[in-house]
Structures are given as structure tokens and as C-alpha cells.
């Protein structure tokens, strides 16, 4: 078998293996305990650090499912611009009940989970995104929240296309040495 044939067979085998593993997927599960929650009703407070991004979002799909243990709390995902906008609000603007800006009713978030039973489903993208926590009612200062999350990694449609193309290139190289 020539070098060209070995390379072609390797390309085809790699493409099939990646498509098989991409179909099965890989799931990461973890939890975060004792997350402090705000006591300003219907306001969002964001984490200092962004969540892990997906730099290979074109090839690998990452879907996060987040659930939590309290029904008086909502969780949002926002980009840097929205986070800065919400953190720039004054205390008076935060308490304004007529405004939907940076509340659970704001529709400019990337994702919002307002029910702890349904949770929050979020397609992880590349870039800086932040998790925010808010409460519907005033809660005590020592209130803590427990969050569970699952991230399912699988091959995206563009990833399947790339693997089929890789398989085809390997087939052509093998056929026409």
C-alpha cells in the first residue's frame, strides 16, 4: 500500500470515527452550590467572570441545560454589552417597577430561564457571555442558590458536512492514486 493510499484510508477512517463520536456526543455534568443571590426584587446581578465559550461553535454544538433549586429566582445569559448596561443602572433605575430594562421581562438577553422546573436551555457560542441571577421577590441577605448544569457536546450540521467532505476527499485520493 502506498503512502497516498494510507493517507486516504486514514482520512476516511477519521471522518467516520468523528461522525460516530459526534452523533453519540459527550455530556459534562456539574453543580455549583451556595451561589449568593441579590435581594433587590426583579433585578439581575451578573458574575464577574464569563462562562466558558465555545471557540469551535461552527463544528461542535454545545447545549447547556441549567436547573436550580428555588422558584423565586430567574437566571439569564447576557453578552458583555448587556451586562455593562445592567451594571451601569443606578439604584433608583433598578427599583423602577415600570421599566423592563434588566429585569426578568427584558427580551434582550441571549437566554432567560424564569422557571426552575423548566430550567434554562442555552446554546453555548463563542465570545464572552455572563450568567446573571435575579429574584422575583425580596430575599434574605444570607440566601444561597444551588445550580446544576449539563453541557452536551455533539457534532454540528457544519461539522457533519466537513466530515463527509473529508471522507469524500479520502475516497477520491484512494480511488485515483
Amino acid at each position: 500500500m502506498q503512502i497516498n493510499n494510507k493517507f486516504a484510508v486514514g482520512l476516511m477512517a477519521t471522518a467516520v470515527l468523528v461522525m460516530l463520536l459526534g452523533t453519540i456526543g459527550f455530556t459534562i455534568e456539574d453543580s455549583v452550590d451556595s451561589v449568593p443571590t441579590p435581594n433587590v426584587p426583579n433585578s439581575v446581578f451578573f458574575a464577574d467572570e464569563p462562562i466558558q465559550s465555545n471557540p469551535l461553535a461552527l463544528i461542535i454544538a454545545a447545549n447547556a441545560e441549567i436547573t436550580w433549586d428555588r422558584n423565586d429566582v430567574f437566571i439569564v445569559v447576557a453578552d458583555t454589552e448587556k451586562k455593562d448596561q445592567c451594571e451601569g443602572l443606578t439604584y433608583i433605575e433598578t427599583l423602577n417597577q415600570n421599566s423592563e430594562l434588566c429585569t426578568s421581562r427584558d427580551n434582550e438577553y441571549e437566554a432567560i430561564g424564569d422557571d426552575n422546573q423548566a430550567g434554562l436551555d442555552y446554546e453555548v457560542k463563542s465570545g464572552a457571555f455572563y450568567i446573571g441571577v435575579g429574584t422575583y421577590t425580596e430575599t434574605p441577605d444570607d440566601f444561597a442558590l444551588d445550580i446544576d448544569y449539563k453541557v452536551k457536546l455533539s457534532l454540528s450540521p457544519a461539522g457533519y458536512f466537513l466530515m463527509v467532505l473529508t471522507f469524500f476527499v479520502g475516497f477520491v485520493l484512494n480511488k485515483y492514486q
Side-chain angles (χ1 to χ4, degrees), residues 91-107:
Y91 185 70
I92 300 298
E93 290 172 322
T94 303
L95 293 177
N96 183 3
Q97 296 298 320
N98 296 328
S99 174
E100 291 186 0
L101 185 63
C102 297
T103 65
S104 63
R105 298 178 306 269
D106 192 342
N107 60 2

